[in-house]
Amino acid sequence: MFQFHNISEYQQALSTGAVQCVDVVKHYLAQIESRKSLNAYVHIFAEEAVERAASLDQKRMAGEAIGKLHGVVVSIKDVISYKDHPLSAGSKMLSGFNTLYNATAVQRLLDEDAIIIGTCNCDEFAMGNTNEHSYYGASKNPFDESKVAGGSSGGSAASVSAGLCMVSLGSDTGGSVRQPADFCGVVGLKPTYGTISRYGLIAYASSFDQIGVFANNVEDAEVILDVISGPDANDSTTMPTKTNLSEKAKPLKKLRIGVFSNATKHLSLDPEISDQIIHLSVSLEEEVKSVESISLDLIDFIVPAYYILTTAEASSNLSRYDGVRYGYRHPGEQKELDLFYKANRSNGFGWEVKKRIMLGTYVLSEGYFDAYFSKAQKVRKKLVEEATKIFNEYDVVLLPTAPGTAFSLGNVEKDPVAMYLADIFTVYANLTGIPAISLPLFRHSNGMPFGVQLISGRQNEVTLLEFSAYLMQHHKQYS
């Protein structure tokens, strides 16, 4: 039976003839079928994936040049365009819609011989942190199906965690890669804003959104990042130069590590998670140059600022879904244009998306723009200035990924405010545009995985990834 450990070993096995791409794809299709209850996938491209695998086997055996991701089986979140395939953003609004072009990230995967096996479930238009706001129902946690997989990229996280693919692409607007990675016990990487092109990514909040990577280990996440990152003429917000991930970071003994003390001791944080992260920071004191406690002064303003700004951008971005050119159109006849729009949008969008559109419209409206939106922008500016100062002094900062382990299904309906506040530790990286990663180092006494989040300065993925690999090798407490 095929077992996947990492991309490097897998490709070595392909080169020796120990495995074939076709057999590997069939293995993953069987695994997907056996764990259908997780609801991780919304569309599976079984026949196409097998055909592509066969062509890659033929290419390799013919001695032709092969790509960096030759035979790697990938899933993608249902907000990333894959030409001539369904793209619905987990919403009734786009049910039945097929995209017309490849996202830049997807094209770069295909150019390097990757195999896309399917699209993964997510919260509708990436709005949520439990994956319960999906038109297709909630994705479930592979460790305990009574728990959520996290959101909004819950299906992607579950697909990697349960062994239903090798790696997956998600999107991270406020923690939507890192939090589900934390809940499902996998690595979740959100690079610096602009590292990966957003061309072909359905927009939620354009100045926050960034494609991210799920993997079983740091090395695989780095391989995927190296392939899909870089400038793109189709996205003016991409970085003008590609980060050279082959550079060496500072030696471990010279690293300066910070720990956000008001995060690790925050009242919302599970005591067991707090203890483990504090213990980790103490252990690191003997291994690196310095480990110091620092304070994130604006921590209580982060979540309000995030939701004001992202909903404002969402109200603008989602105005294009009107049922005129594509997407859901209400079957009833409407003689007036405004009633036509109202019928389509009221019935096409789910309640969470409608809430966020209305909130965003409200904070942008006359009389409230200065009271809410302008103040949130000022908070964001201060956070960026503060982050610049912090990373002039520290190479990496440690903090929790989430306040607790995976929530039970249904909690979002009982206490929606608590669900919003659960983003407290992840949205900082999106507000400031810095890279962040969640590492699955620990197991809670309740049996669920949890990890630690690392953040670094803008475009300092080299240090972030090297230190992450070190922690996974020397401080992971379970396998």
Side-chain angles (χ1 to χ4, degrees), residues 330-371:
H330 191 263
E333 289 190 17
Q334 302 294 338
K335 294 182 179 179
E336 296 181 25
L337 186 61
D338 61 335
L339 294 178
F340 172 77
Y341 288 153
K342 184 177 180 180
N344 294 339
R345 289 167 64 81
S346 295
N347 292 281
F349 288 131
W351 175 233
E352 182 64 25
V353 172
K354 287 188 280 193
K355 268 196 303 187
R356 298 196 192 199
I357 291 173
M358 288 187 284
L359 175 58
T361 304
Y362 175 79
V363 301
L364 289 174
S365 62
E366 187 177 357
Y368 298 99
F369 183 88
D370 289 335

Side-chain angles (χ1 to χ4, degrees), residues 77-95:
K77 185 178 180 180
D78 187 29
V79 292
I80 301 173
S81 297
Y82 184 19
K83 186 178 180 181
D84 298 327
H85 293 78
L87 178 68
S88 65
S91 178
K92 180 181 179 181
M93 181 60 80
L94 285 176
S95 58

Side-chain angles (χ1 to χ4, degrees), residues 179-364:
Q179 185 250 38
D182 183 75
F183 283 4
C184 292
V186 295
V187 172
L189 170 66
K190 181 205 85 74
T192 302
Y193 179 81
T195 298
I196 302 170
S197 172
R198 290 183 296 111
Y199 180 72
L201 171 67
I202 290 180
Y204 163 17
S206 303
S207 71
F208 292 78
D209 299 338
Q210 181 65 160
I211 289 175
V213 182
F214 293 94
N216 290 292
N217 54 74
V218 175
E219 292 77 13
D220 285 356
E222 183 175 334
V223 169
I224 300 299
L225 177 63
D226 186 51
V227 167
I228 65 176
S229 63
D232 179 19
N234 292 314
D235 179 5
S236 62
T237 65
T238 52
M239 292 291 179
T241 57
K242 181 181 174 74
T243 300
N244 182 6
L245 296 176
S246 64
E247 290 181 356
K248 295 301 290 181
K250 286 182 180 179
L252 185 68
K253 285 289 185 182
K254 292 187 177 181
L255 287 181
R256 300 162 300 171
I257 308 298
V259 181
F260 279 148
S261 56
N262 52 345
T264 56
K265 297 175 183 177
H266 199 271
L267 291 176
S268 68
L269 187 61
D270 181 297
E272 197 169 323
I273 296 176
S274 174
D275 289 345
Q276 286 283 19
I277 294 176
I278 292 171
H279 177 73
L280 173 63
S281 64
V282 172
S283 300
L284 287 171
E285 287 182 6
E286 298 178 1
E287 301 168 33
V288 301
K289 178 180 178 181
S290 67
V291 178
E292 298 178 5
S293 292
I294 53 178
S295 178
L296 182 56
D297 295 335
L298 297 171
I299 191 168
D300 293 328
F301 295 91
I302 289 175
V303 172
Y306 167 78
Y307 276 101
I308 288 170
L309 295 174
T310 55
T311 56
E313 293 187 25
S315 72
S316 174
N317 280 329
L318 271 65
S319 64
R320 70 193 70 177
Y321 302 105
D322 52 18
V324 176
R325 291 153 295 179
Y326 54 84
Y328 175 80
R329 181 177 292 187
H330 191 263
E333 289 190 17
Q334 302 294 338
K335 294 182 179 179
E336 296 181 25
L337 186 61
D338 61 335
L339 294 178
F340 172 77
Y341 288 153
K342 184 177 180 180
N344 294 339
R345 289 167 64 81
S346 295
N347 292 281
F349 288 131
W351 175 233
E352 182 64 25
V353 172
K354 287 188 280 193
K355 268 196 303 187
R356 298 196 192 199
I357 291 173
M358 288 187 284
L359 175 58
T361 304
Y362 175 79
V363 301
L364 289 174

Side-chain angles (χ1 to χ4, degrees), residues 6-74:
N6 57 60
I7 291 173
S8 178
E9 284 187 21
Y10 165 58
Q11 292 188 326
Q12 180 62 29
L14 285 175
S15 70
T16 62
V19 295
Q20 301 293 323
C21 293
V22 167
D23 295 330
V24 170
V25 167
K26 289 179 178 178
H27 161 80
Y28 281 114
L29 291 172
Q31 292 298 107
I32 291 169
E33 180 63 26
S34 71
R35 301 215 64 180
K36 284 177 67 175
S37 60
L38 292 177
N39 200 26
Y41 285 87
V42 293
H43 297 102
I44 301 161
F45 313 131
E47 184 177 339
E48 177 186 317
V50 172
E51 289 177 359
R52 182 166 172 83
S55 69
L56 291 175
D57 284 335
Q58 186 176 13
K59 177 181 180 180
R60 186 181 65 258
M61 289 185 286
E64 297 178 30
I66 61 174
K68 295 178 183 177
L69 300 179
H70 184 81
V72 174
V73 180
V74 184

